Amino acid sequence: MKEKIFTLKMKNYCCSQIIAEIGLEKLGMENSQLVAAMAGLCEGVKCGSICGCASAAVCLMYLADAKAAEKGIVQEFLEWFEESFGTLGCDELLGDDPMAKIEKCPMIVEATLVKLEELLEWE
């Protein structure tokens, strides 16, 4: 998975686009327009708000299984994310460290995808 994340990052995909691209692939779907639109979630919806990994994961859960999303896997995911990383906020995750995006984001992307695999029972 790390290699796929790196490959997409080298194509200038941001965190939310990487989550979408890999998630769609796991669901057996393709949708380049959706992946492109996910750029709007990057960097905390471009304002440091909720992390793009978290917001993209929520969108993916609704795409994969809207009923399960409504019945609690979204809340379970968000609680896990906040517990794992201390916050949902992009600015808070990255702080004032210019290297944080390079060092932290790939790890958060990977952990998010692993959690999605668990919650959505991907093969």
Side-chain angles (χ1 to χ4, degrees):
M1 185 178 312
K2 285 181 183 168
E3 189 173 309
K4 180 75 173 176
I5 292 168
F6 179 75
T7 300
L8 292 172
K9 189 65 184 157
M10 294 309 294
K11 290 182 176 182
N12 289 323
Y13 281 40
C14 71
C15 60
S16 52
Q17 291 175 300
I18 294 170
I19 297 289
E21 180 73 23
I22 294 174
L24 286 168
E25 187 177 294
K26 294 277 189 180
L27 294 171
M29 300 176 173
E30 285 185 39
N31 189 330
S32 60
Q33 293 165 318
L34 175 62
V35 173
M38 288 293 199
L41 302 178
C42 299
E43 299 167 358
V45 194
K46 302 294 184 192
C47 67
S49 187
I50 187 169
C51 171
C53 290
S55 55
V58 169
C59 292
L60 200 58
M61 285 184 271
Y62 272 90
L63 180 64
D65 189 344
K67 286 182 183 176
E70 285 291 324
K71 289 185 179 178
I73 65 168
V74 166
Q75 190 60 39
E76 181 180 342
F77 169 80
L78 292 172
E79 288 170 7
W80 166 84
F81 192 96
E82 195 161 15
E83 213 171 87
S84 298
F85 305 112
T87 184
L88 289 168
C90 183
D91 278 354
E92 294 167 5
L93 286 166
L94 299 179
D96 292 329
D97 182 0
M99 294 301 292
K101 195 181 252 188
I102 295 167
E103 294 169 352
K104 288 184 179 179
C105 291
M107 180 265 310
I108 294 171
V109 169
E110 183 178 18
T112 297
L113 288 165
V114 168
K115 187 64 176 179
L116 284 171
E117 283 179 343
E118 174 192 319
L119 291 171
L120 296 174
E121 300 175 0
W122 289 336
E123 295 296 318

